[in-house]
Amino acid sequence: MESYLESCKTLSLTAREAIALLIIERFCNKNSVSSDYTTEFLEYMWQYPLIRYPDEFCSWEEEKPELVNCGLGDSFPEALKSQLQGSGVSEHVFRTLIEGAVEILWSSFWGAANNQRSYESLKQVIIASKLHHLPSLTPFKFSLFHEGDGWGKEKITNEDVEFWRKIAKMG
């Protein structure tokens, strides 16, 4: 775990976000947490790496789903709370996962990329998930924090995102 976390320190915010989303998806699959809320959240968050222009960002950010707002401090919807309870998942643990994924990005959107806060947010997602099999970091090593003002040098393509998402289904 220590070497995994240490390797995450070099990755861009975009790569860290992708890893957090993979972990959340694995966590949800493992714990039978599947709802329109989680599906909408994951689909929305996976769109972020593909944004190229400021107007795309504004449109994307304005259309954030309810779980993003929950990650920013709003209460979970009652239907989701019931589902979590039925799945035996603590609301606190699930909130930690969602907040961490949201904070990786939102903590840096309106200022300089926040390396430490982003890293700490990913770390809390990893620890809270209690997953024994974490996503391989190899596919993310081309997107590094020291490039692109913290967001990574390379533009992420649809193919990259599809490949990253397939990792969640591997193991």
Side-chain angles (χ1 to χ4, degrees), residues 17-19 21-23 25-26 29 38-50 135-136 139-140 156-171:
E17 181 64 24
I19 293 162
L21 296 176
L22 293 172
I23 289 170
E25 187 170 352
R26 285 184 184 184
N29 289 338
T38 56
T39 300
E40 183 183 37
F41 174 78
L42 290 167
E43 290 301 318
Y44 173 82
M45 296 298 280
W46 276 112
Q47 292 172 18
Y48 176 75
L50 301 173
S136 169
F140 305 100
I156 307 300
T157 66
N158 285 325
E159 292 79 18
D160 295 327
V161 170
E162 287 174 25
F163 180 74
W164 286 356
R165 290 189 80 173
K166 285 180 186 175
I167 294 170
K169 296 170 183 33
M170 302 166 134

Side-chain angles (χ1 to χ4, degrees), residues 11-14 16 48 103-119 144-152:
L11 301 177
S12 71
L13 278 74
T14 305
R16 292 173 188 174
Y48 176 75
E103 281 299 311
I104 289 169
L105 298 179
W106 263 258
S107 66
S108 297
F109 275 161
W110 291 276
N114 191 326
N115 189 19
Q116 189 60 33
R117 187 162 180 190
S118 167
Y119 169 74
L144 301 173
F145 189 86
H146 75 272
E147 300 170 322
D149 297 321
W151 300 95

Side-chain angles (χ1 to χ4, degrees), residues 80-99:
L80 181 58
K81 287 181 184 180
S82 295
Q83 186 192 15
L84 291 172
Q85 187 175 22
S87 297
V89 173
S90 145
E91 184 179 336
H92 173 73
V93 167
F94 196 71
R95 176 167 297 284
T96 301
L97 297 173
I98 298 301
E99 283 179 351

